[in-house]
Amino acid sequence: MPVQGYMYPNEIELAWSVLIVLYPYITGLVAGAFILASLERVFRVEAVRPTYRLALLTALAFLLVAPLPLQLHLGHPERSFEMYLTPHRTSAMAMFGFVYLWYLMAVLVLEIWLDYRRDIVLLSQRTKGFERFVYRVLTLGSTNISENALRIDDRAGYIITLVGIPSAFLLHGYVGFIFGSVKANPWWSSPMMPVVFLFSAMVSGIAVVLLLYMFSSWYRKQTIDMRCVDTVARYLFYTFLIDFSLEMLDLVHRIYEADESFRSLDFMVHTRLYLSQVVIQIYVGTLAPIGLLALTQLLKLGEKTRKRIYAVAGSLTLIGIFAMRWNVVIGGQLFSKSFLGYTTYKIGFVAKEGLLTAVVLTLLPFAILWVLVKLLPPWPDCEPPAPGSAAPAHGDD
Amino acid sequence: MKITRRQLLILLPAAAVAWDSVLAGTPETSPNYKLTEHWWGMLVDISKCIGCGNCVRACATENNVPEGYFRTWVERYHVSDTDLANPVVDSPNGGKNGFPPILGSGGRNFFVPKMCNHCADSPCTQVCPVGATFMTPDGVVLVDKKYCIGCRYCIQACPYGCRFLNPKTQTAEKCTLCYHRITKGLTTACCEACPTGARQLADLKNPSDPIHEFLRTHTVQVLKPYMATGAKLFYNDLDGSVR
C-alpha cells in the first residue's frame, strides 16, 4: 500500500532519493578517514602509521565522489555553479560548496601533496615515458628534496593537519546541520544531528580504513601489522560507543518527551522503518559490531580470531552507518508533516536516481582509490629509495 | 550586399539574441502598481467552504499546474467527538473533483482549503541555496524558475507541504498568489472561482481592505503557529485538529 492515512498531496512523492542517502554516507567516510589519519600526524599515535597514507588517499577518493550524487540529483545541475557565484547566505546548503572546496583544496590535496612530494620527485626521476610526465606534472615544478625542504614540508603538513581536524569536523558536522536545521521535519530537527553525524562519520571512516588496510595487506601478501589494526579497532570501539550513546540519548529524549510527532514517528519505526532501523541499523549494524569489538577488548584472543572479528565488525559497521543515513534521509520523508499518514519510497533500478546509479557511485571511490594507490603507493615498504641508496627504505613499522 | 564570413559570425549571435526577444514577446507591465503599497495575504473562511473544488480547478487551469501536483488543494476533516486528536482526513486528487459522500456518521465534518502561506519569515526562502526563492517587497513568496537548481531543499523546509518539483521544468513550484493577476488589480484565480467567498485575497497594507474589519471581529488563526513562520494565510473558524 503506497499511502496509508493522509499525506499532503505534494508529499506522496519523496523529494530526496537514495542519492541523498549516499551524500552524507560518502562525506562521512571522508571526514572519518581524515580524522584517523590525523591521529598519527598530530597526536603522534605511531601504531596507526601504516594506515596514515592509505587513510589520506581514501579520504581523497571519497571526497572526489562526494558531490556527484548531489549533481545527479539536481533538477538543473548546469546551474549548480550559482551556489558559488551567488550563494544565499542564510542557506545551510549554499555553504556546502565552500566547505567542500576548502576541505578538498586547502586541506586534503595540499596535505597529500606535501606528504608525497619527496616520493613524487624521486618517482619523476626514476620512471619513463607517460608515467614520468604524470609525476613531473605532480611535482608542480618543485623538485627540491633537500633535508631542509623536507623539514619545511613536514612542518607545513603538520599545520595543515591541525587546520584539517576542525575542517573535517566542519565538513561533516555541517552535513548534519543541513538536516538538523529543518524545523518543519521533527525526524530531522535536532541540535544533536551534527554531533551524531560527526561521530557516525568517524565510526564509518575508521571502519573503512581498517578494512581497506586489512584487505590491501592480504592482497599484497604482506603480513598485517597487528599492533596497528588492534589500535585502529580500539579507536573504532570507543568512537562507536560514543556514537551509540549519543543516538540513544536522542532516542530516549524523543520517547520521554513524546511530543506531537511522537506517535507518528513511533508508528513508522515499528512498521516501515523496522527492518532498516531496528534490525539493520541497531541490531546488526551497531550492537553486533560493538559486541564483537568488546570481545577483543575483554578476552585474550588469537591473532587470526581478532583479524576475523575486525573484518566482520568493520563490514557490519559500514552497513549499519549506511542504514543510519538511509533512516535519516528516507525515513524523514516517509511520514506526513500532518502526522496523519505514511508514504512509500519506490526506487527504480536503471534510472537517474536509481539503484544502479547508487551502486556505481558507491563503487566509484574504490576505483579512484585503486588509481591513486597505483600512482602514489601508500605502503611504507614501497617508498622509493633515496638517490644513491641501493636498498629500498623501510618505514618505521 | 555581400556578407563576409567574419561579418556573418558577428551577425549570427546578434540575430539569435534578437529572435529570442521576439519569441519572448513584450513583458507584461503594471504601470500603476507600487510594490511598497501592498502586503498580501489571504483569508480563508472554513465555515463557508463547501468542498466543491472550484478553486483547485481554477488554479490548475490558470497556472498550468501539472497533473498530480497541487498549488492549492482542499482537505476534508472528519473529527469524531470521542477522539479529537486523531481526525480522519482525505483529499482525493486534492479535492479537484469534489468529494465523495463521507463514510461513517457522527462527529463533525468540514473542509480546509490549503495553499502556500506566503510566510513573512518563510523557511523555504531561508534554505534556498541560490536565492531562487525570494519574497517580493509586497509580501509574496516566489520562485525564479530560471534560477532554481532543483535541489528540493525548499520542499523539505516547508512545514505545510505546499511545494513540489515540476516534472517538466525540474524546478520548485508553488502558489504565486497569482502574482500576474494581483499586480494588475485582479484577485487570484482561486478567490475568483470560489462560489461562497470562502477565500478572500487580503491586502494588509490597504486600510480600506475588509480584512481589517474581519480580523477585528473574528477569531482568526494561522496553521502551525508554533513554526513561527509569519504565515499570512488567515483561517476563520479553524478547528484545533487541523494540521
Side-chain angles (χ1 to χ4, degrees):
Chain A
M1 191 157 87
V3 175
Q4 193 179 351
Y6 176 67
M7 300 286 291
Y8 295 138
N10 294 325
E11 279 182 329
I12 293 166
E13 187 184 288
L14 267 65
W16 284 352
S17 67
V18 66
L19 296 191
I20 305 299
V21 177
L22 276 184
Y23 155 66
Y25 186 60
I26 291 177
T27 324
L29 292 171
V30 175
F34 182 84
I35 290 167
L36 178 63
S38 59
L39 276 179
E40 192 274 333
R41 191 75 192 246
V42 178
F43 302 108
R44 311 213 180 279
V45 184
E46 274 300 311
V48 301
R49 189 170 151 69
T51 62
Y52 172 63
R53 285 182 155 187
L54 182 65
L56 282 184
L57 294 185
T58 306
L60 180 62
F62 280 92
L63 192 65
L64 289 173
V65 177
L68 288 184
L70 293 183
Q71 280 289 338
L72 280 170
H73 168 74
L74 290 183
H76 284 273
E78 80 283 2
R79 295 179 190 163
S80 59
F81 70 96
E82 297 286 1
M83 270 210 258
Y84 288 108
L85 300 181
T86 56
H88 189 219
R89 279 173 298 153
T90 61
S91 166
M93 195 184 273
M95 292 302 128
F96 170 73
F98 295 96
V99 175
Y100 173 82
L101 263 195
W102 163 261
Y103 193 73
L104 176 70
M105 302 311 291
V107 176
L108 209 46
V109 168
L110 204 55
E111 174 155 345
I112 291 174
W113 185 74
L114 283 170
D115 197 71
Y116 272 99
R117 207 176 64 82
R118 173 183 168 276
D119 296 20
I120 293 170
V121 171
L122 293 175
L123 285 165
S124 75
Q125 290 163 359
R126 276 198 331 180
T127 47
K128 288 196 177 72
F130 180 70
E131 245 185 302
R132 186 191 180 92
F133 171 75
V134 172
Y135 286 119
R136 286 192 72 159
V137 170
L138 287 177
T139 62
L140 302 177
S142 163
T143 53
N144 179 0
I145 49 167
S146 67
E147 220 167 88
N148 200 21
L150 291 179
R151 207 171 34 244
I152 295 172
D153 282 0
D154 191 53
R155 188 75 203 145
Y158 177 78
I159 292 168
I160 289 166
T161 314
L162 273 188
V163 177
I165 296 172
S167 302
F169 275 63
L170 180 70
L171 182 79
H172 208 69
Y174 158 85
V175 174
F177 186 74
I178 287 187
F179 293 96
S181 63
V182 177
K183 70 176 169 187
N185 190 322
W187 187 246
W188 293 344
S189 175
S190 160
M192 295 279 282
M193 206 59 137
V195 190
V196 168
F197 261 57
L198 190 61
F199 275 91
S200 56
M202 283 159 67
V203 168
S204 65
I206 295 172
V208 81
V209 174
L210 176 68
L211 288 177
L212 280 170
Y213 173 69
M214 287 172 63
F215 173 78
S216 58
S217 299
W218 168 80
Y219 184 76
R220 293 170 61 239
K221 298 188 175 57
Q222 300 285 322
T223 46
I224 292 176
D225 181 339
M226 284 313 287
R227 193 164 74 101
C228 171
V229 285
D230 283 339
T231 312
V232 174
R234 202 168 59 242
Y235 286 132
L236 178 61
F237 177 59
Y238 293 149
T239 325
F240 220 156
L241 279 183
I242 300 174
D243 177 47
F244 186 56
S245 313
L246 288 170
E247 288 195 39
M248 285 305 105
L249 176 64
D250 188 55
L251 189 71
V252 169
H253 185 83
R254 280 171 191 274
I255 293 172
Y256 194 77
E257 255 198 356
D259 68 8
E260 60 156 3
S261 64
F262 180 68
R263 277 176 66 155
S264 185
L265 303 183
D266 186 52
F267 177 81
M268 197 171 66
V269 170
H270 285 96
T271 52
R272 293 180 185 221
L273 282 186
Y274 187 77
L275 181 66
S276 62
Q277 174 110 10
V278 180
V279 178
I280 300 181
Q281 185 188 327
I282 297 180
Y283 289 139
V284 177
T286 306
L287 292 177
I290 286 181
L292 286 171
L293 290 168
L295 281 183
T296 64
Q297 301 298 312
L298 297 171
L299 306 175
K300 279 210 162 145
L301 300 167
E303 233 177 64
K304 213 170 181 181
T305 319
R306 293 212 304 282
K307 277 189 224 167
R308 283 184 182 156
I309 286 183
Y310 295 154
V312 174
S315 308
L316 291 180
T317 302
L318 288 182
I319 294 169
I321 300 292
F322 181 81
M324 182 261 184
R325 310 294 191 227
W326 175 278
N327 295 322
V328 169
V329 177
I330 302 297
Q333 301 172 84
L334 291 183
F335 65 95
S336 172
K337 286 170 189 162
S338 66
F339 308 132
L340 293 169
Y342 310 89
T343 187
T344 309
Y345 175 48
K346 292 187 201 106
I347 183 167
F349 183 66
V350 186
K352 192 178 137 203
E353 299 192 43
L355 190 61
L356 188 65
T357 317
V359 171
V360 169
L361 284 175
T362 311
L363 296 178
L364 189 59
F366 294 101
I368 295 176
L369 182 63
W370 189 78
V371 175
L372 285 174
V373 166
K374 288 276 161 208
L375 195 65
L376 305 167
W379 329 116
D381 53 88
C382 281
E383 282 175 23
S389 71
H394 284 278
D396 296 359
D397 290 285
Chain B
M1 192 178 96
K2 196 179 172 208
I3 296 178
T4 63
R5 192 184 301 170
R6 178 187 293 259
Q7 283 166 329
L8 184 73
L9 283 173
I10 295 169
L11 275 174
L12 275 181
V17 172
W19 181 239
D20 197 40
S21 76
V22 168
L23 284 183
T26 318
E28 290 184 63
T29 53
S30 309
N32 301 322
Y33 185 78
K34 289 204 173 64
L35 288 169
T36 49
E37 288 176 359
H38 306 273
W39 189 250
W40 296 109
M42 193 177 276
L43 179 71
V44 178
D45 197 340
I46 288 179
S47 54
K48 284 187 181 170
C49 182
I50 55 170
C52 64
N54 260 7
C55 51
V56 185
R57 290 190 294 276
C59 172
T61 310
E62 176 73 22
N63 298 298
N64 204 12
V65 179
E67 193 60 40
Y69 300 91
F70 301 90
R71 288 189 181 195
T72 186
W73 69 96
V74 180
E75 294 168 354
R76 176 170 61 180
Y77 271 70
H78 172 75
V79 186
S80 118
D81 28 336
T82 50
D83 191 6
L84 293 170
N86 290 296
V88 178
V89 183
D90 67 345
S91 180
N93 198 21
K96 200 174 182 177
N97 313 311
F99 290 80
I102 194 149
L103 301 166
S105 56
R108 285 174 297 127
N109 297 307
F110 53 90
F111 298 101
V112 185
K114 295 264 185 92
M115 55 178 254
C116 171
N117 289 245
H118 294 281
C119 311
D121 300 309
S122 60
C124 57
T125 308
Q126 183 187 30
V127 301
C128 176
V130 294
T133 288
F134 62 100
M135 174 164 266
T136 60
D138 44 352
V140 180
V141 178
L142 296 177
V143 184
D144 185 343
K145 61 182 175 198
K146 287 186 180 158
Y147 215 61
C148 172
I149 61 173
C151 72
R152 288 158 253 192
Y153 201 12
C154 56
I155 300 175
Q156 305 289 8
C158 175
Y160 314 101
C162 296
R163 288 174 164 253
F164 57 90
L165 190 87
N166 185 314
K168 267 191 198 149
T169 61
Q170 287 289 307
T171 53
E173 193 172 308
K174 60 176 272 298
C175 159
T176 60
L177 207 66
C178 283
Y179 201 63
H180 58 291
R181 291 172 58 93
I182 63 172
T183 50
K184 290 191 195 69
L186 300 168
T187 188
T188 63
C190 58
C191 289
E192 183 134 310
C194 179
T196 60
R199 290 168 176 253
Q200 296 287 332
L201 179 69
D203 183 356
L204 297 157
K205 263 195 188 172
N206 178 1
S208 57
D209 193 297
I211 180 76
H212 299 291
E213 171 70 18
F214 197 92
L215 291 177
R216 268 197 299 276
T217 52
H218 291 75
T219 313
V220 172
Q221 182 61 282
V222 293
L223 291 173
K224 303 188 181 183
Y226 49 87
M227 282 284 160
T229 57
K232 291 194 270 100
L233 190 59
F234 303 103
Y235 284 91
N236 183 41
D237 225 4
L238 185 72
D239 190 86
S241 62
V242 176
R243 284 101 186 258

